[in-house]
Amino acid sequence: MKKLFISSIILISGLSFSQIAVGTPTVEPNKWTFGGGLGVGFGSNSYFNLQVAPRVGYRLTNDLEAGLIGSVSWQTSDFYKSTMFGFGPFVNYYFARSFFVSGSLQHFFINYEDKYYDFKDNQQETALYLGGGYMQQIGNNSFMQIGLMYNVLYKENSSVFSGGLIPSVGFVVGL
């Protein structure tokens, strides 16, 4: 009887541990990231600017992310108004969990109206932004990104943009 009891306990214990080991599922972390930026500007001559830039990315590795970014901008003043739409791919490389280098190719469609001369124009321009910055964690997997980007395709006399260097502030969830 004693041998049967000990054998039963060993058998039940072995079956219990094997059930636990086989039944544990592995959890795959979500590799999608979401975020973007929002900008507002005010100036002289009733100047007002509103910009929205959503983005969606996919983490190819823990440090490399690629995705698509969009941009919509509305500007108005006493003398002109314009609307600009842009979209394109981006890639970010993160290092030391606090810094990143970035590249983004965006194609823009610009609708411009000069109120003083009653002139309207539609243009297109491509921008290749290269830069980097600092990243601050603000939640579990949420970060604020602060950086500088430079449009290497910027041409001073023919671009619709006022300059090649732009500061960037944005948020991303999912890193």
Side-chain angles (χ1 to χ4, degrees):
M1 184 71 167
K2 195 176 190 181
K3 288 182 182 181
L4 181 62
F5 180 72
I6 292 175
S7 299
S8 298
I9 289 189
I10 292 174
L11 182 63
I12 290 172
S13 297
L15 290 174
S16 297
F17 286 118
S18 69
Q19 292 293 327
I20 293 171
V22 172
T24 56
T26 59
V27 176
E28 179 69 25
N30 188 2
K31 293 184 178 267
W32 290 99
T33 62
F34 301 94
L38 178 67
V40 177
F42 300 94
S44 61
N45 299 315
S46 302
Y47 174 79
F48 175 73
N49 177 16
L50 175 64
Q51 181 177 10
V52 178
R55 72 191 270 304
V56 61
Y58 187 80
R59 287 186 301 123
L60 301 170
T61 68
N62 281 338
D63 299 327
L64 184 64
E65 171 193 26
L68 293 174
I69 188 166
S71 176
V72 179
S73 176
W74 297 275
Q75 295 181 21
T76 185
S77 76
D78 291 338
F79 304 106
Y80 72 93
K81 67 179 180 178
S82 72
T83 305
M84 183 168 42
F85 299 97
F87 68 93
F90 76 88
V91 63
N92 289 336
Y93 181 76
Y94 302 99
F95 55 96
R97 281 311 267 182
S98 293
F99 301 96
F100 66 95
V101 291
S102 181
S104 173
L105 179 68
Q106 293 188 48
H107 189 75
F108 292 94
F109 300 91
I110 303 102
N111 180 322
Y112 177 82
E113 180 182 340
D114 189 314
K115 296 177 183 178
Y116 188 75
Y117 292 107
D118 195 29
F119 172 76
K120 295 180 181 181
D121 190 21
N122 293 316
Q123 295 181 3
Q124 296 182 30
E125 187 167 340
T126 300
L128 176 58
Y129 295 108
L130 300 176
Y134 175 74
M135 201 166 66
Q136 177 64 48
Q137 188 169 5
I138 57 174
N140 218 11
N141 62 348
S142 304
F143 294 85
M144 180 176 72
Q145 295 178 324
I146 301 169
L148 281 175
M149 304 288 280
Y150 184 76
N151 179 4
V152 297
L153 301 179
Y154 172 73
K155 294 180 178 121
E156 185 176 357
N157 296 325
S158 63
S159 178
V160 297
F161 302 112
S162 60
L165 188 66
I166 61 165
S168 64
V169 176
F171 297 92
V172 63
V173 176
L175 290 178

